[in-house]
């Protein structure tokens, strides 16, 4: 079992729709959860992080964490073509950060 | 701040040659991480340092890989001898601390091609 699992996609949504990205993790002791966005040929860049159960909103982005289910998600409201990228879920325990394989999102105009 | 700086951006070498990748973390960041990214395996943690000391190198694939951090502003990842399966993008990242509220800041990466 992989430490961090994501649906590789591709996930395709029309412009203006809500994109929902999901991630599960195997270690119940995981402490913090991050979402990164990576454009093709570029380095990952942080979108947001969450460490408590529930929802956390930042602009068009909402992260949701359910530690009992070992599940974290990212919702992107009013999706734009510029949101087309690979989204990486990352999980930390102690001092290191482990990444999922990423979900490729395409937002069609 | 200039961010995490990696060099070179691209490296093409022949099998058996030594390759050295370089990284300058963000000033003041105590943690430095080396990752490798491939289509097949995604982002893999190779090794990380805290205050210049290697903490966990369990991700280093083989003895052919070695990493050093002689001071707070410089780290190297060396592959000797290189093999075609080492072809990947290698990222260096740094963070102020780890865990809660401590995201990684990535460099632009080094794309390594071993022929």
């Amino acid at each position: 079992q992989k430490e961090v699992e994501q649906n590789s996609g591709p996930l395709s949504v029309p412009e203006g729709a809500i994109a929902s990205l999901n991630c599960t993790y195997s270690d119940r002791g995981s402490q913090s959860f991050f979402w990164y966005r990576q454009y093709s040929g570029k380095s990952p860049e942080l979108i947001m992080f969450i460490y408590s159960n529930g929802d956390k909103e930042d602009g068009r982005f909402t992260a949701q964490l359910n530690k009992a289910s070992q599940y974290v998600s990212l919702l992107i409201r009013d999706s734009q073509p510029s949101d087309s990228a690979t989204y990486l879920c990352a999980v930390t325990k102690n001092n290191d950060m482990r990444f999922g394989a990423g979900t490729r999102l395409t937002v069609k105009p | 701040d200039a961010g995490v700086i990696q060099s070179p951006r691209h490296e093409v070498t022949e099998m058996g040659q030594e390759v050295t990748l370089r990284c300058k973390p963000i000033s003041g960041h105590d943690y430095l991480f080396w990752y490798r990214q491939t289509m097949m395996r995604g982002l893999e943690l190779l090794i990380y340092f805290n205050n210049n000391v290697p903490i966990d190198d369990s991700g280093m694939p083989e003895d052919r890989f070695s990493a050093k951090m002689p001071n707070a502003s410089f780290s190297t990842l060396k592959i000797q001898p290189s093999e075609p399966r080492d072809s990947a993008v290698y990222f260096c990242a740094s963070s102020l601390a780890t865990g809660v509220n401590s995201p990684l800041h990535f460099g632009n990466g080094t794309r390594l091609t071993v022929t």
Side-chain angles (χ1 to χ4, degrees):
Chain A
Q1 182 184 12
K2 292 183 179 178
E3 294 176 352
V4 184
E5 297 214 46
Q6 297 181 254
N7 187 328
S8 63
L11 173 66
S12 181
V13 301
E15 183 175 355
I18 296 175
S20 178
L21 305 164
N22 304 315
C23 172
T24 58
Y25 58 95
S26 60
D27 191 337
R28 284 194 174 276
S30 299
Q31 298 162 312
S32 304
F33 308 86
F34 299 79
W35 283 100
Y36 284 81
R37 176 176 62 198
Q38 186 175 26
Y39 292 111
S40 180
K42 302 296 185 181
S43 58
E45 54 183 354
L46 178 71
I47 298 174
M48 63 190 305
F49 62 85
I50 187 168
Y51 56 88
S52 299
N53 278 327
D55 296 0
K56 180 180 179 182
E57 186 175 316
D58 184 359
R60 295 186 297 113
F61 300 95
T62 298
Q64 299 174 316
L65 174 62
N66 184 326
K67 289 187 177 180
S69 300
Q70 296 175 240
Y71 176 90
V72 59
S73 66
L74 179 71
L75 300 178
I76 307 175
R77 290 182 298 282
D78 188 23
S79 296
Q80 300 297 310
S82 58
D83 294 327
S84 298
T86 295
Y87 289 79
L88 302 168
C89 172
V91 174
T92 61
K93 180 181 178 182
N94 299 325
N95 295 320
D96 64 57
M97 184 176 290
R98 307 282 172 163
F99 285 81
T103 298
R104 187 155 53 93
L105 172 67
T106 300
V107 180
K108 296 186 175 181
Chain B
D1 199 316
V4 177
I5 299 173
Q6 290 186 249
S7 64
R9 288 298 307 276
H10 302 275
E11 177 78 43
V12 180
T13 191
E14 293 183 347
M15 181 174 62
Q17 297 298 307
E18 177 180 295
V19 176
T20 299
L21 311 182
R22 297 172 176 80
C23 176
K24 174 179 170 57
I26 293 173
S27 177
H29 281 193
D30 294 331
Y31 288 83
L32 183 140
F33 301 78
W34 282 101
Y35 285 87
R36 176 173 69 177
Q37 187 174 39
T38 61
M39 288 293 294
M40 291 295 295
R41 302 175 69 90
L43 260 174
E44 301 175 277
L45 177 63
L46 301 178
I47 184 172
Y48 75 93
F49 296 82
N50 178 24
N51 291 326
N52 313 337
V53 176
I55 302 300
D56 184 353
D57 65 354
S58 60
M60 297 286 261
E62 300 170 32
D63 291 344
R64 298 184 296 107
F65 286 69
S66 63
K68 294 181 179 180
M69 192 166 185
N71 57 61
S73 59
F74 184 66
S75 177
T76 60
L77 178 67
K78 184 176 294 186
I79 308 172
Q80 167 63 19
S82 58
E83 296 182 4
R85 60 191 168 125
D86 300 331
S87 298
V89 179
Y90 290 80
F91 286 105
C92 175
S94 69
S95 69
L96 192 58
T98 62
V100 176
N101 301 346
S102 297
L104 300 186
H105 299 262
F106 285 83
N108 288 328
T110 294
R111 182 174 295 276
L112 173 64
T113 303
V114 183
T115 61

